[in-house]
Amino acid sequence: MNANSPFGLRPMAYASGAPYGGGVQVYYVPASNATPLFLGDPVLALGGAADASGVPAVGIAAAGASGPITGVMQGIANNAGETVLPVLQNQTPYLPAGQAAYIYVADDPNLVFAVQEDSVGGALPAGAASSNASLVAGAGSTVSSLSGWQLQSSSLGTAAGGQMRILRAYQSIDNAIGANAKWLCRINLHAITSTTGI
């Protein structure tokens, strides 16, 4: 039985097979942000919005079909250019709502992520590989700082509007096809590779 322990999207490797080395970009979260951001949350660049230095602003992405994603939050940055924000030793790495900050985002379109399925309406079959599915939002943990987002099992299909492309089941001794299985996926609707602006 798989543990029901959602963590959002966790970067694992690149599509080429090269291991993920922790590469990120810094983005700005404005004080108007109304949603807390957790490690593993998908975020989307806010069209036409940036800080005074031109660092793009982001907010939480929308769950469901046709919702583009710029990348995945990996932490709170302590600087962007010459802007320095204090980071305390006992500060949790999630960002409360209404707090302006800079965050680290894994935004490479070639990243492969591990994601837990929600298994609502039934678990994904082994044949889910190479299909598309969307994400479903979930509340993050203020204790672990991990995202509560998951792969929406009921959205499995071939429609181009699926946010994620399922590559294969995550091969691990503690993961099996069935409820709460973990899958390796790529962002199918990546905002950076879109040919139109946001």
Side-chain angles (χ1 to χ4, degrees), residues 38-119:
F38 295 84
L39 303 181
D41 275 354
V43 296
L44 176 65
L46 306 175
D51 75 353
S53 298
V55 178
V58 292
I60 195 73
S66 302
I69 298 169
T70 296
V72 177
M73 178 176 167
Q74 295 297 292
I76 299 176
N78 64 358
N79 68 81
E82 296 188 12
T83 302
V84 177
L85 301 177
V87 176
L88 305 178
Q89 185 176 10
N90 61 351
Q91 178 178 339
T92 56
Y94 78 91
L95 183 65
Q99 181 176 323
Y102 293 91
I103 64 171
Y104 293 120
V105 176
D107 65 356
D108 191 309
N110 296 308
L111 277 172
V112 174
F113 298 90
V115 191
Q116 177 179 293
E117 64 168 281
D118 67 355
S119 303

